[in-house]
Coordinates of all heavy atoms in Angstrom, one line a residue:
M1473 N -5.0 29.0 2.4 CA -3.6 28.4 2.6 C -3.6 27.4 3.6 O -4.2 27.7 4.8 CB -2.6 29.6 3.0 CG -2.3 30.5 1.7 SD -1.2 29.8 0.5 CE 0.4 29.9 1.4
G1474 N -3.2 26.2 3.4 CA -3.1 25.2 4.5 C -1.9 25.4 5.3 O -1.1 26.4 5.1
E1475 N -2.0 24.7 6.4 CA -0.9 24.8 7.4 C 0.4 24.3 6.8 O 0.3 23.3 5.9 CB -1.1 24.0 8.6 CG -1.5 24.7 9.8 CD -1.7 23.8 10.9 OE1 -2.8 23.2 11.1 OE2 -0.8 23.7 11.7
E1476 N 1.6 24.8 7.1 CA 2.8 24.3 6.5 C 3.0 22.7 6.9 O 2.7 22.4 8.1 CB 4.0 25.0 7.1 CG 5.2 24.8 6.3 CD 6.4 25.3 7.2 OE1 6.3 26.0 8.1 OE2 7.5 24.9 6.8
T1477 N 3.4 22.0 6.0 CA 3.7 20.6 6.3 C 5.0 20.5 6.9 O 6.0 20.8 6.3 CB 3.6 19.7 5.0 OG1 2.4 20.0 4.3 CG2 3.8 18.2 5.2
T1478 N 5.1 20.0 8.2 CA 6.3 19.6 8.8 C 6.6 18.2 8.9 O 5.6 17.5 9.0 CB 6.5 20.3 10.1 OG1 5.6 19.7 11.0 CG2 6.2 21.8 10.1
H1479 N 7.8 17.7 8.9 CA 8.1 16.2 9.0 C 7.4 15.7 10.3 O 6.9 14.6 10.3 CB 9.6 15.9 8.9 CG 9.8 14.5 8.7 ND1 9.2 13.9 7.8 CD2 10.6 13.7 9.4 CE1 9.6 12.5 7.9 NE2 10.5 12.4 8.8
E1480 N 7.5 16.5 11.3 CA 7.0 16.1 12.7 C 5.5 15.8 12.5 O 5.0 14.7 13.0 CB 7.2 17.3 13.7 CG 7.2 16.7 15.1 CD 8.0 17.7 16.1 OE1 8.3 18.9 15.6 OE2 8.4 17.2 17.1
K1481 N 4.7 16.7 11.9 CA 3.3 16.5 11.7 C 3.0 15.3 10.9 O 2.0 14.5 11.2 CB 2.6 17.7 11.1 CG 2.5 18.9 12.1 CD 1.8 20.0 11.4 CE 2.0 21.4 12.0 NZ 1.9 22.5 11.2
V1482 N 3.8 15.1 9.8 CA 3.5 14.0 8.9 C 3.8 12.6 9.7 O 3.0 11.7 9.6 CB 4.5 14.1 7.7 CG1 4.3 12.7 6.9 CG2 4.1 15.3 6.9
L1483 N 4.7 12.6 10.5 CA 5.1 11.4 11.3 C 4.0 11.1 12.3 O 3.5 10.1 12.5 CB 6.5 11.5 12.0 CG 7.7 11.5 11.1 CD1 8.9 11.6 12.0 CD2 7.7 10.2 10.3
E1484 N 3.5 12.2 12.8 CA 2.3 12.0 13.8 C 1.0 11.5 13.1 O 0.4 10.6 13.5 CB 1.9 13.4 14.4 CG 2.8 13.8 15.7 CD 2.5 15.2 16.0 OE1 1.5 15.7 15.7 OE2 3.5 15.8 16.5
A1485 N 0.8 12.0 11.9 CA -0.3 11.5 11.1 C 0.0 10.0 10.7 O -1.0 9.2 10.7 CB -0.5 12.4 9.8
M1486 N 1.2 9.7 10.3 CA 1.4 8.3 9.8 C 1.2 7.3 11.0 O 0.8 6.1 10.7 CB 2.9 8.3 9.4 CG 3.0 8.6 7.8 SD 4.7 8.6 7.2 CE 5.1 6.9 7.1
A1487 N 1.6 7.7 12.2 CA 1.5 6.8 13.4 C 0.0 6.5 13.6 O -0.4 5.4 14.2 CB 1.9 7.6 14.6
K1488 N -0.9 7.2 13.0 CA -2.5 6.9 13.2 C -3.0 6.1 12.0 O -4.1 5.7 12.0 CB -3.2 8.2 13.2 CG -2.9 9.0 14.5 CD -3.7 10.3 14.6 CE -3.1 11.2 15.8 NZ -3.2 12.5 15.4
L1489 N -2.2 5.8 11.1 CA -2.7 5.0 9.8 C -2.9 3.5 10.3 O -2.0 3.1 11.2 CB -1.6 5.2 8.7 CG -1.4 6.4 8.1 CD1 -0.4 6.3 6.9 CD2 -2.8 7.0 7.4
S1490 N -3.7 2.8 9.6 CA -3.9 1.4 10.0 C -2.7 0.7 9.2 O -2.0 1.3 8.3 CB -5.1 0.9 9.2 OG -5.0 1.0 7.8
P1491 N -2.4 -0.5 9.6 CA -1.3 -1.2 9.0 C -1.3 -1.2 7.4 O -0.4 -1.1 6.7 CB -1.3 -2.6 9.6 CG -2.1 -2.5 10.9 CD -2.9 -1.3 10.7
E1492 N -2.7 -1.4 7.0 CA -2.9 -1.6 5.5 C -2.6 -0.2 4.8 O -2.0 -0.1 3.8 CB -4.4 -1.9 5.1 CG -4.7 -3.3 5.6 CD -4.9 -3.5 7.2 OE1 -5.3 -2.5 7.8 OE2 -4.8 -4.6 7.6
E1493 N -3.1 0.9 5.5 CA -2.9 2.2 4.9 C -1.3 2.6 4.9 O -0.8 3.1 3.9 CB -3.5 3.3 5.8 CG -5.1 3.2 5.6 CD -5.7 4.2 6.6 OE1 -5.3 4.3 7.8 OE2 -6.9 4.7 6.4
L1494 N -0.6 2.2 6.0 CA 0.8 2.4 6.1 C 1.6 1.6 4.9 O 2.4 2.2 4.3 CB 1.3 2.0 7.5 CG 2.8 2.4 7.7 CD1 2.9 3.9 7.8 CD2 3.1 1.9 9.1
K1495 N 1.1 0.4 4.7 CA 1.7 -0.4 3.8 C 1.6 0.2 2.3 O 2.5 0.3 1.6 CB 1.2 -1.8 3.8 CG 1.8 -2.8 2.9 CD 1.5 -4.2 3.3 CE 2.1 -5.3 2.4 NZ 1.2 -5.7 1.3
A1496 N 0.3 0.7 2.1 CA 0.1 1.3 0.8 C 0.9 2.6 0.6 O 1.4 2.8 -0.4 CB -1.4 1.7 0.7
K1497 N 1.0 3.4 1.7 CA 1.7 4.6 1.6 C 3.3 4.3 1.3 O 3.9 5.0 0.5 CB 1.6 5.4 2.9 CG 2.2 6.8 2.7 CD 1.9 7.7 4.0 CE 2.6 8.9 3.9 NZ 2.3 9.7 2.9
M1498 N 3.8 3.3 2.0 CA 5.1 2.9 1.8 C 5.3 2.4 0.5 O 6.5 2.8 -0.1 CB 5.6 1.9 2.9 CG 5.6 2.4 4.5 SD 6.7 3.7 4.7 CE 8.2 2.6 5.0
E1499 N 4.5 1.7 0.0 CA 4.7 1.1 -1.5 C 4.7 2.2 -2.4 O 5.5 2.2 -3.4 CB 3.6 0.1 -1.7 CG 4.1 -1.3 -1.2 CD 3.0 -2.3 -1.4 OE1 1.9 -2.1 -2.0 OE2 3.1 -3.5 -0.6
E1500 N 3.8 3.2 -2.3 CA 3.6 4.3 -3.2 C 4.9 5.1 -3.2 O 5.5 5.5 -4.2 CB 2.4 5.0 -2.7 CG 2.0 6.2 -3.7 CD 1.1 7.2 -3.1 OE1 0.4 6.8 -2.1 OE2 1.1 8.3 -3.4
S1501 N 5.4 5.4 -1.8 CA 6.6 6.2 -1.7 C 7.8 5.5 -2.3 O 8.7 6.2 -2.8 CB 6.8 6.5 -0.2 OG 5.7 7.1 0.3
R1502 N 7.9 4.2 -2.1 CA 9.0 3.4 -2.5 C 9.1 3.5 -4.0 O 10.2 3.6 -4.6 CB 8.7 2.0 -2.1 CG 10.0 1.1 -2.2 CD 9.8 -0.3 -1.9 NE 10.9 -1.1 -2.4 CZ 12.0 -1.4 -1.7 NH1 12.0 -0.9 -0.5 NH2 12.9 -2.0 -2.3
K1503 N 8.1 3.5 -4.7 CA 8.1 3.6 -6.3 C 8.6 5.0 -6.6 O 9.4 5.1 -7.6 CB 6.6 3.5 -6.8 CG 6.2 2.1 -6.9 CD 4.9 1.9 -7.7 CE 4.2 0.5 -7.4 NZ 3.0 0.6 -6.9
M1504 N 8.3 6.1 -5.9 CA 8.8 7.4 -6.2 C 10.3 7.4 -5.9 O 11.2 8.0 -6.7 CB 8.1 8.4 -5.4 CG 6.5 8.6 -5.7 SD 5.8 9.7 -4.6 CE 4.1 9.4 -4.7
C1505 N 10.7 6.8 -4.8 CA 12.1 6.8 -4.4 C 13.0 6.1 -5.5 O 14.0 6.6 -5.7 CB 12.2 6.1 -3.1 SG 13.9 6.2 -2.4
E1506 N 12.4 5.1 -6.2 CA 13.2 4.4 -7.1 C 13.9 5.3 -8.2 O 14.9 5.0 -8.7 CB 12.3 3.3 -7.9 CG 12.5 1.9 -7.3 CD 11.5 1.0 -7.9 OE1 10.8 1.3 -8.9 OE2 11.6 -0.2 -7.4
S1507 N 13.1 6.3 -8.6 CA 13.6 7.2 -9.6 C 14.6 8.2 -9.1 O 15.1 9.0 -9.9 CB 12.3 8.0 -10.3 OG 11.2 7.2 -10.3
F1508 N 14.7 8.3 -7.9 CA 15.8 9.2 -7.3 C 16.9 8.5 -6.7 O 17.9 8.5 -7.2 CB 15.0 10.2 -6.4 CG 14.1 11.2 -7.1 CD1 12.7 10.7 -7.3 CD2 14.4 12.3 -7.6 CE1 11.9 11.5 -8.0 CE2 13.6 13.2 -8.3 CZ 12.3 12.7 -8.6
C1509 N 16.6 7.9 -5.5 CA 17.7 7.2 -4.9 C 18.3 6.2 -5.9 O 19.5 6.0 -6.0 CB 17.1 6.4 -3.6 SG 17.0 7.4 -2.1
G1510 N 17.3 5.5 -6.5 CA 17.7 4.4 -7.4 C 18.6 4.8 -8.6 O 19.3 4.0 -9.2
E1511 N 18.6 6.1 -8.9 CA 19.3 6.6 -10.0 C 20.5 7.6 -9.6 O 21.3 8.1 -10.4 CB 18.4 7.5 -10.9 CG 17.2 6.8 -11.5 CD 17.5 5.7 -12.5 OE1 18.5 5.9 -13.1 OE2 16.8 4.8 -12.7
C1512 N 20.6 7.7 -8.3 CA 21.6 8.7 -7.9 C 23.0 8.1 -7.8 O 23.3 6.9 -7.7 CB 21.3 9.3 -6.5 SG 22.2 8.8 -5.1
P1513 N 24.1 9.0 -8.0 CA 25.5 8.4 -8.1 C 26.0 7.9 -6.9 O 26.9 7.0 -6.9 CB 26.3 9.7 -8.5 CG 25.4 10.9 -8.3 CD 24.0 10.3 -8.2
T1514 N 25.3 8.2 -5.7 CA 25.9 7.6 -4.4 C 25.3 6.3 -4.2 O 26.0 5.4 -3.7 CB 25.3 8.6 -3.2 OG1 25.9 9.8 -3.4 CG2 25.6 8.0 -1.9
Y1515 N 24.3 6.0 -4.9 CA 23.6 4.7 -4.8 C 24.0 3.6 -5.8 O 24.3 2.5 -5.3 CB 22.0 4.9 -4.9 CG 21.1 3.7 -4.7 CD1 20.5 3.5 -3.5 CD2 20.8 2.8 -5.6 CE1 19.6 2.5 -3.2 CE2 20.0 1.7 -5.4 CZ 19.4 1.6 -4.3 OH 18.6 0.6 -4.0
T1516 N 24.0 4.1 -7.0 CA 24.3 3.1 -8.1 C 25.7 2.6 -8.0 O 26.7 3.1 -7.6 CB 24.2 3.8 -9.5 OG1 24.9 5.1 -9.6 CG2 22.7 4.2 -9.8
G1517 N 25.9 1.2 -8.2 CA 27.1 0.5 -8.2 C 27.4 0.1 -6.7 O 28.4 -0.6 -6.6
T1518 N 26.6 0.4 -5.8 CA 26.9 0.0 -4.4 C 26.4 -1.4 -4.1 O 26.8 -2.0 -3.1 CB 26.4 0.9 -3.3 OG1 24.9 1.0 -3.4 CG2 27.0 2.3 -3.4
G1519 N 25.4 -1.9 -4.8 CA 24.8 -3.2 -4.6 C 23.6 -3.0 -3.6 O 23.0 -4.0 -3.2
E1520 N 23.4 -1.8 -3.1 CA 22.2 -1.6 -2.3 C 20.9 -1.9 -2.9 O 20.8 -1.6 -4.2 CB 22.3 -0.1 -1.8 CG 21.2 0.3 -0.9 CD 21.0 -0.5 0.4 OE1 20.5 -1.7 0.4 OE2 21.6 0.0 1.4
K1521 N 20.0 -2.5 -2.3 CA 18.7 -2.8 -2.8 C 17.6 -2.1 -2.0 O 16.5 -1.9 -2.6 CB 18.4 -4.3 -2.7 CG 19.5 -5.2 -3.4 CD 19.0 -5.4 -4.9 CE 19.9 -6.4 -5.6 NZ 21.2 -5.9 -6.0
E1522 N 17.9 -1.7 -0.8 CA 16.9 -0.9 -0.1 C 16.7 0.5 -0.7 O 17.4 1.0 -1.5 CB 17.4 -0.8 1.5 CG 17.5 -2.1 2.1 CD 16.2 -2.9 2.2 OE1 15.2 -2.2 2.4 OE2 16.2 -4.0 2.1
L1523 N 15.5 1.0 -0.2 CA 15.2 2.4 -0.7 C 14.6 3.1 0.6 O 14.6 2.5 1.6 CB 14.2 2.4 -1.9 CG 14.8 1.9 -3.2 CD1 13.7 1.5 -4.2 CD2 15.7 3.0 -3.8
L1524 N 14.1 4.3 0.3 CA 13.3 5.0 1.4 C 14.1 5.2 2.7 O 13.6 5.0 3.7 CB 12.0 4.3 1.8 CG 10.9 4.4 0.9 CD1 9.6 3.6 1.3 CD2 10.5 5.8 0.6
F1525 N 15.3 5.6 2.5 CA 16.2 5.9 3.7 C 15.7 7.1 4.4 O 16.0 7.1 5.7 CB 17.6 6.1 3.2 CG 18.1 5.1 2.2 CD1 18.2 5.4 1.0 CD2 18.5 3.8 2.7 CE1 18.7 4.4 0.0 CE2 19.0 2.8 1.9 CZ 19.0 3.2 0.5
C1526 N 14.9 8.0 3.8 CA 14.4 9.1 4.6 C 13.4 8.7 5.7 O 13.2 9.4 6.6 CB 13.7 10.0 3.6 SG 12.4 9.3 2.6
I1527 N 12.7 7.5 5.5 CA 11.9 7.0 6.5 C 12.5 5.9 7.2 O 12.4 5.8 8.5 CB 10.6 6.4 5.7 CG1 9.9 7.6 4.9 CG2 9.5 6.0 6.8 CD1 8.8 7.2 4.0
L1528 N 13.1 5.0 6.4 CA 13.7 3.7 7.2 C 15.0 3.9 7.8 O 15.4 3.1 8.7 CB 13.7 2.6 6.1 CG 12.3 2.3 5.6 CD1 12.5 1.2 4.5 CD2 11.3 1.8 6.5
G1529 N 15.7 5.0 7.4 CA 17.0 5.2 8.1 C 18.2 4.7 7.1 O 18.0 4.4 6.0
R1530 N 19.4 4.9 7.7 CA 20.6 4.8 6.8 C 20.7 3.4 6.3 O 20.4 2.4 6.8 CB 21.8 5.3 7.5 CG 22.2 4.7 8.8 CD 23.5 5.3 9.4 NE 23.5 6.7 9.6 CZ 22.9 7.2 10.7 NH1 22.4 6.4 11.7 NH2 22.9 8.5 11.0
S1531 N 21.6 3.4 5.2 CA 21.9 2.2 4.4 C 23.1 1.6 5.3 O 24.0 2.3 5.8 CB 22.4 2.5 3.1 OG 23.2 1.5 2.4
S1532 N 23.2 0.3 5.1 CA 24.3 -0.5 5.8 C 25.5 -0.6 4.7 O 26.5 -1.0 5.2 CB 23.9 -1.8 6.3 OG 23.3 -2.6 5.3
V1533 N 25.2 -0.2 3.6 CA 26.1 -0.4 2.5 C 26.8 0.9 2.0 O 27.9 1.0 1.7 CB 25.4 -1.1 1.2 CG1 26.4 -1.3 0.1 CG2 24.8 -2.4 1.7
I1534 N 25.9 1.9 1.9 CA 26.4 3.2 1.3 C 27.2 3.9 2.2 O 26.7 4.2 3.4 CB 25.2 3.9 0.7 CG1 24.5 3.2 -0.4 CG2 25.6 5.3 0.1 CD1 23.1 3.7 -0.8
K1535 N 28.4 4.3 1.9 CA 29.2 5.1 2.8 C 29.8 6.4 2.3 O 30.2 7.3 3.0 CB 30.4 4.3 3.3 CG 30.0 2.9 3.9 CD 29.4 3.0 5.2 CE 29.0 1.7 5.8 NZ 28.0 1.8 6.8
E1536 N 29.9 6.5 1.0 CA 30.5 7.7 0.3 C 29.5 8.5 -0.4 O 28.7 8.2 -1.2 CB 31.5 7.1 -0.7 CG 32.7 7.9 -1.0 CD 33.6 7.4 -2.0 OE1 33.8 6.0 -2.2 OE2 34.1 8.1 -2.9
Q1537 N 29.6 9.8 -0.1 CA 28.6 10.8 -0.7 C 29.2 11.2 -2.0 O 30.3 11.8 -2.2 CB 28.6 12.1 0.1 CG 28.0 11.8 1.5 CD 27.9 13.1 2.3 OE1 28.1 14.1 1.9 NE2 27.6 12.9 3.7
K1538 N 28.4 10.9 -3.1 CA 28.7 11.3 -4.5 C 27.7 12.1 -5.1 O 27.5 12.2 -6.3 CB 28.9 10.1 -5.3 CG 30.1 9.2 -4.8 CD 30.3 8.0 -5.7 CE 31.4 7.1 -5.2 NZ 31.5 5.9 -5.9
G1539 N 26.7 12.7 -4.4 CA 25.7 13.4 -4.9 C 24.4 12.8 -4.5 O 24.3 11.6 -4.4
C1540 N 23.3 13.7 -4.2 CA 22.1 13.3 -3.7 C 20.9 13.8 -4.5 O 21.0 15.1 -4.7 CB 22.0 13.5 -2.2 SG 20.4 13.2 -1.4
L1541 N 20.0 13.0 -4.9 CA 18.9 13.5 -5.6 C 17.6 13.8 -4.8 O 16.6 14.1 -5.4 CB 18.5 12.5 -6.8 CG 19.6 12.3 -7.8 CD1 19.2 11.4 -8.9 CD2 20.1 13.6 -8.5
C1542 N 17.7 13.6 -3.5 CA 16.5 13.8 -2.7 C 15.8 15.2 -2.8 O 14.7 15.3 -2.9 CB 16.9 13.6 -1.2 SG 17.2 11.9 -0.8
T1543 N 16.7 16.2 -2.9 CA 16.2 17.5 -3.2 C 16.0 17.9 -4.6 O 15.7 19.1 -4.8 CB 17.2 18.5 -2.5 OG1 18.5 18.4 -3.1 CG2 17.2 18.3 -0.9
A1544 N 16.2 17.0 -5.5 CA 16.0 17.3 -6.9 C 14.6 17.0 -7.4 O 14.5 16.5 -8.5 CB 17.0 16.6 -7.8
G1545 N 13.6 17.1 -6.5 CA 12.2 16.9 -6.9 C 11.6 15.6 -6.6 O 10.5 15.4 -7.0
C1546 N 12.2 14.8 -5.7 CA 11.5 13.7 -5.2 C 10.1 14.0 -4.4 O 10.2 14.8 -3.6 CB 12.4 13.0 -4.2 SG 11.4 11.5 -3.4
P1547 N 9.0 13.6 -4.9 CA 7.8 13.9 -4.3 C 7.7 13.4 -2.8 O 6.9 14.2 -2.1 CB 6.6 13.1 -5.1 CG 7.5 12.7 -6.3 CD 8.9 12.6 -6.0
V1548 N 8.4 12.5 -2.5 CA 8.3 12.0 -1.0 C 8.9 13.2 -0.1 O 8.4 13.5 0.9 CB 9.1 10.7 -0.8 CG1 9.0 10.3 0.6 CG2 8.4 9.7 -1.7
Q1549 N 9.9 13.7 -0.6 CA 10.7 14.8 0.1 C 9.6 15.9 0.5 O 9.5 16.4 1.6 CB 11.8 15.3 -0.7 CG 12.6 16.5 -0.1 CD 13.8 16.2 0.8 OE1 13.9 15.1 1.3 NE2 14.6 17.1 1.0
K1550 N 8.9 16.3 -0.5 CA 7.9 17.3 -0.4 C 6.7 16.9 0.4 O 6.4 17.6 1.4 CB 7.4 17.8 -1.9 CG 6.6 19.0 -1.9 CD 6.5 19.6 -3.2 CE 5.7 20.8 -3.3 NZ 4.2 20.5 -3.3
N1551 N 6.1 15.8 0.1 CA 4.9 15.3 0.6 C 5.1 15.1 2.1 O 4.1 15.2 2.9 CB 4.4 14.0 0.1 CG 4.0 14.1 -1.4 OD1 3.8 15.2 -1.8 ND2 4.0 13.0 -2.1
M1552 N 6.3 14.7 2.6 CA 6.5 14.4 3.9 C 7.2 15.4 4.7 O 7.6 15.2 5.9 CB 7.3 13.0 4.0 CG 6.5 11.8 3.4 SD 7.1 10.2 4.0 CE 7.1 10.4 5.8
G1553 N 7.2 16.6 4.1 CA 7.8 17.8 4.9 C 9.3 17.6 5.2 O 9.8 18.0 6.3
L1554 N 10.0 16.8 4.4 CA 11.4 16.5 4.6 C 12.2 17.7 4.2 O 11.9 18.4 3.2 CB 11.8 15.2 3.9 CG 11.2 13.9 4.6 CD1 11.3 12.8 3.5 CD2 12.1 13.6 5.8
R1555 N 13.3 18.0 4.9 CA 14.2 19.1 4.6 C 15.7 18.7 4.5 O 16.5 19.6 4.5 CB 14.0 20.2 5.7 CG 12.7 20.8 5.9 CD 12.6 21.9 7.0 NE 12.5 21.4 8.3 CZ 13.5 21.3 9.2 NH1 14.6 21.9 8.9 NH2 13.4 20.9 10.4
W1556 N 16.0 17.5 4.5 CA 17.4 17.1 4.6 C 17.8 16.3 3.3 O 17.1 16.2 2.5 CB 17.6 16.3 5.9 CG 17.0 17.0 7.1 CD1 17.8 17.9 7.9 CD2 15.7 16.9 7.6 NE1 17.0 18.3 8.9 CE2 15.7 17.8 8.7 CE3 14.6 16.2 7.3 CZ2 14.6 17.9 9.5 CZ3 13.4 16.5 8.1 CH2 13.4 17.3 9.2
D1557 N 18.9 15.8 3.4 CA 19.4 15.0 2.3 C 20.4 13.9 2.8 O 20.7 13.9 4.0 CB 20.1 15.9 1.2 CG 21.2 16.7 1.7 OD1 21.6 16.6 2.9 OD2 21.8 17.4 0.9
Y1558 N 21.0 13.2 1.9 CA 21.8 12.0 2.2 C 21.3 11.2 3.3 O 22.0 10.8 4.3 CB 23.3 12.5 2.6 CG 24.1 13.0 1.3 CD1 24.3 14.3 1.0 CD2 24.6 12.0 0.5 CE1 25.1 14.7 -0.1 CE2 25.3 12.4 -0.7 CZ 25.6 13.7 -0.9 OH 26.3 14.0 -2.0
Y1559 N 20.0 10.8 3.3 CA 19.4 10.0 4.3 C 20.1 8.7 4.4 O 20.1 8.1 5.5 CB 17.9 9.9 4.0 CG 17.2 11.1 3.9 CD1 16.8 11.7 2.6 CD2 16.8 11.8 5.0 CE1 16.1 12.9 2.6 CE2 16.1 13.1 5.0 CZ 15.8 13.5 3.8 OH 15.2 14.7 3.6
C1560 N 20.6 8.2 3.3 CA 21.2 6.9 3.2 C 22.5 6.9 4.1 O 22.9 5.7 4.6 CB 21.6 6.5 1.7 SG 22.7 7.6 1.0
I1561 N 23.1 8.0 4.3 CA 24.4 8.0 5.1 C 24.1 8.8 6.4 O 24.5 8.3 7.5 CB 25.5 8.8 4.3 CG1 25.9 8.0 3.1 CG2 26.7 9.1 5.2 CD1 26.7 8.7 2.1
R1562 N 23.3 9.9 6.4 CA 23.1 10.7 7.6 C 22.0 10.2 8.4 O 21.7 10.7 9.5 CB 22.9 12.1 7.2 CG 24.1 12.7 6.4 CD 23.9 14.1 6.0 NE 25.1 14.5 5.3 CZ 25.0 15.7 4.5 NH1 23.9 16.4 4.4 NH2 26.2 16.0 3.8
G1563 N 21.1 9.4 8.0 CA 20.0 8.8 8.7 C 18.5 9.4 8.3 O 18.5 10.4 7.6
S1564 N 17.5 8.9 8.8 CA 16.3 9.2 8.4 C 15.9 10.6 8.7 O 16.6 11.3 9.5 CB 15.2 8.3 9.2 OG 15.2 8.6 10.6
G1565 N 14.8 11.1 8.2 CA 14.4 12.5 8.5 C 14.2 12.7 10.0 O 14.5 13.7 10.6
K1566 N 13.6 11.7 10.7 CA 13.4 11.8 12.1 C 14.7 12.0 12.9 O 14.8 12.9 13.7 CB 12.6 10.6 12.5 CG 12.2 10.6 13.8 CD 11.4 9.3 14.2 CE 10.9 9.3 15.7 NZ 10.3 8.0 16.0
E1567 N 15.7 11.2 12.4 CA 17.0 11.3 13.1 C 17.6 12.7 12.8 O 18.3 13.3 13.7 CB 17.9 10.1 12.6 CG 17.6 8.9 13.1 CD 18.4 7.8 12.3 OE1 19.6 7.7 12.8 OE2 18.0 7.2 11.3
Q1568 N 17.6 13.2 11.5 CA 18.2 14.5 11.3 C 17.4 15.5 11.9 O 18.1 16.5 12.3 CB 18.3 14.6 9.7 CG 19.2 13.5 9.0 CD 19.7 13.9 7.7 OE1 20.2 15.0 7.5 NE2 19.6 13.1 6.7
M1569 N 16.1 15.4 12.1 CA 15.3 16.5 12.7 C 15.7 16.5 14.2 O 15.9 17.6 14.8 CB 13.8 16.1 12.6 CG 12.8 17.0 13.2 SD 11.2 16.5 12.7 CE 11.0 15.0 13.6
A1570 N 16.0 15.3 14.8 CA 16.3 15.2 16.2 C 17.7 16.0 16.5 O 17.9 16.5 17.6 CB 16.3 13.7 16.7
K1571 N 18.5 15.9 15.6 CA 19.9 16.5 15.7 C 19.8 17.9 15.8 O 20.7 18.6 16.3 CB 20.7 16.0 14.6 CG 21.4 14.6 14.8 CD 22.4 14.3 13.7 CE 22.6 12.8 13.6 NZ 23.0 12.4 12.2
E1572 N 18.7 18.5 15.2 CA 18.6 20.0 15.2 C 18.1 20.6 16.6 O 18.1 21.7 16.7 CB 17.7 20.4 14.1 CG 18.2 20.2 12.7 CD 17.2 20.5 11.6 OE1 16.0 20.7 11.9 OE2 17.6 20.5 10.4
K1573 N 17.6 19.7 17.3 CA 17.0 20.2 18.5 C 18.0 20.4 19.7 O 19.1 19.9 19.7 CB 15.8 19.2 19.0 CG 14.8 19.3 18.0 CD 13.5 18.6 18.5 CE 12.3 18.8 17.5 NZ 11.3 17.9 17.7
Ligands
LIG3028 S1 19.4 9.5 0.1 FE1 20.2 10.8 -1.5 S2 22.4 10.2 -1.6 FE2 21.3 8.5 -0.6 S3 20.7 7.2 -2.3 FE3 19.0 8.5 -1.9 S4 19.2 10.2 -3.5 FE4 21.1 9.1 -3.3
LIG3029 S1 13.6 11.8 -0.2 FE1 15.3 10.6 -0.9 S2 15.2 8.8 0.3 FE2 13.3 9.7 0.5 S3 12.1 8.7 -1.1 FE3 12.9 10.5 -1.9 S4 14.8 9.9 -3.0 FE4 14.3 8.3 -1.6

């Protein structure tokens, strides 16, 4: 059994990536996000074009919660040890993690 993946540990590991590795990871994650954020009722119709709110932080456009698909199987949520939702409104995993402390 491996150690439990926590968001804190993932962020620490990400901070050690080279710019190229980080770019590749972000691009890969963005593609996964498209099928979740991009299809969710909170996102669609708002004109928002950004994705990856769990990493990049809240949307400047999205304000109204109409359902969130982050916890409905998005691989980024799992891979990055994320435990929250509505990142587009409530802020990145890092921000939501900080609020718990
Ligand atoms: S963070 Fe959740 S609510 Fe916001 S756009 Fe993504 S899936 Fe939708
Ligand atoms: S956890 Fe949510 S915000 Fe993050 S990539 Fe997945 S769908 Fe997008």
